[in-house]
């Protein structure tokens, strides 16, 4: 890799930093050369005063998850409002690099995720197990119902590079992860609460269809 031209006179600190960076890039331990194809910054060089970090989502998967559920039977003559408490059947927790303690610096990652999926996700330390679901449903027809709370789980991987300074206004991008790989994340959409029955099949891959399957529709 060819670095940008440096002034003839430079400090010992800048020279030492440049040497370390070149060594890392050559051995592939944490350098840009170890990143997967398509996960590098658009340029090799950077300005540490302007471009401190570069981050992008490299893989993404969205799945509907029913977190709380209750199957109920509404007998003829007993329709109307009823209050029920759901049972927890699954959970989703925000995680970045296997840690549930989400720092403010992760906000850039979540903004990138939202841009990819097209909806808002949890950006702070949070879990769907933090509340019990007890609410009122209006069930106007007799039959079997599935009462649910659920969300869309978003999980995947991301690449992160930092601008390592080689001179007063010059630097090179190096992988922020020691193994030369990337980071991982899990987050989720704001949960929704609803009810389903088997009268009409919901579209595949939706949260409502996932609730219907749990109801054995």
């Amino acid at each position: 890799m060819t670095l940008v031209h440096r002034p003839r006179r430079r400090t010992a600190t800048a020279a030492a930093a440049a040497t370390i960076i070149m060594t890392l890039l050559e051995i592939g331990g944490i350098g840009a050369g170890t990143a997967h194809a398509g996960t590098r910054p658009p340029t090799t060089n950077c300005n540490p005063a302007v471009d401190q970090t570069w981050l992008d989502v490299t893989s993404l998967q969205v799945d509907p998850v029913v977190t709380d559920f209750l199957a109920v039977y509404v007998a003829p003559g007993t329709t109307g409002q009823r209050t029920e408490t759901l049972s927890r059947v699954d959970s989703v927790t925000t995680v970045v690099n296997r840690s549930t303690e989400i720092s403010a610096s992760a906000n850039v990652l979540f903004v990138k995720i939202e841009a990819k999926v097209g909806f808002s996700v949890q950006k702070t330390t949070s879990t769907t197990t933090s509340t019990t679901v007890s609410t009122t449903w209006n069930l106007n027809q007799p039959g079997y119902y599935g009462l649910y709370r659920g969300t869309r789980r978003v999980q995947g991987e991301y690449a992160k590079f930092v601008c390592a300074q080689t001179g007063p206004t010059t630097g090179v991008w190096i992988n922020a992860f020691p193994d030369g790989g990337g980071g991982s994340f899990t987050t989720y959409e704001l949960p929704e609460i609803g009810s389903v029955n088997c009268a009409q099949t919901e579209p595949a891959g939706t949260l409502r269809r996932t609730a219907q399957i749990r109801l054995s529709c």
Side-chain angles (χ1 to χ4, degrees), residues 118-174:
F119 54 82
S120 298
V121 299
Q122 301 296 312
K123 302 179 183 64
T124 58
T125 300
S126 58
T127 176
T128 58
T129 63
S130 59
T131 59
T132 299
V133 183
S134 182
T135 190
T136 300
W137 281 265
N138 191 23
L139 306 177
N140 295 322
Q141 298 292 330
Y144 284 98
Y145 287 85
L147 311 180
Y148 71 89
R149 181 180 72 156
T151 185
R152 284 186 285 184
R153 178 177 56 211
V154 182
Q155 56 187 346
E157 297 178 340
Y158 70 99
K160 183 179 180 181
F161 286 72
V162 295
C163 184
Q165 188 170 3
T166 59
T169 60
T170 60
V172 292
W173 291 113
I174 64 171

Side-chain angles (χ1 to χ4, degrees), residues 11-23:
T11 63
T13 300
T19 301
I20 292 171
I21 291 165
M22 284 302 297
T23 301

Side-chain angles (χ1 to χ4, degrees), residues 67-81:
T67 59
D68 303 85
F69 187 82
L70 182 67
V72 298
Y73 175 68
V74 178
T78 63
T79 59
Q81 290 188 340

Side-chain angles (χ1 to χ4, degrees), residues 32-126:
T34 62
H36 298 296
T39 61
R40 299 182 180 89
T43 60
T44 300
N45 302 320
C46 53
N47 183 343
V50 179
D51 309 311
Q52 296 180 347
T53 61
W54 180 92
L55 184 149
D56 197 20
V57 175
T58 57
S59 69
L60 196 63
Q61 181 175 329
V62 180
D63 298 297
V65 179
V66 173
T67 59
D68 303 85
F69 187 82
L70 182 67
V72 298
Y73 175 68
V74 178
T78 63
T79 59
Q81 290 188 340
R82 58 192 295 166
T83 300
E84 301 285 356
T85 299
L86 307 189
S87 298
R88 184 167 298 132
V89 295
D90 206 341
S91 64
V92 186
T93 301
T94 51
V95 177
V96 175
N97 299 328
R98 300 193 180 120
S99 174
T100 57
E101 295 301 318
I102 309 302
S103 64
S105 63
N107 187 65
V108 174
L109 170 62
F110 291 118
V111 170
K112 292 275 189 178
I113 294 169
E114 288 181 334
K116 295 277 189 180
V117 299
F119 54 82
S120 298
V121 299
Q122 301 296 312
K123 302 179 183 64
T124 58
T125 300
S126 58

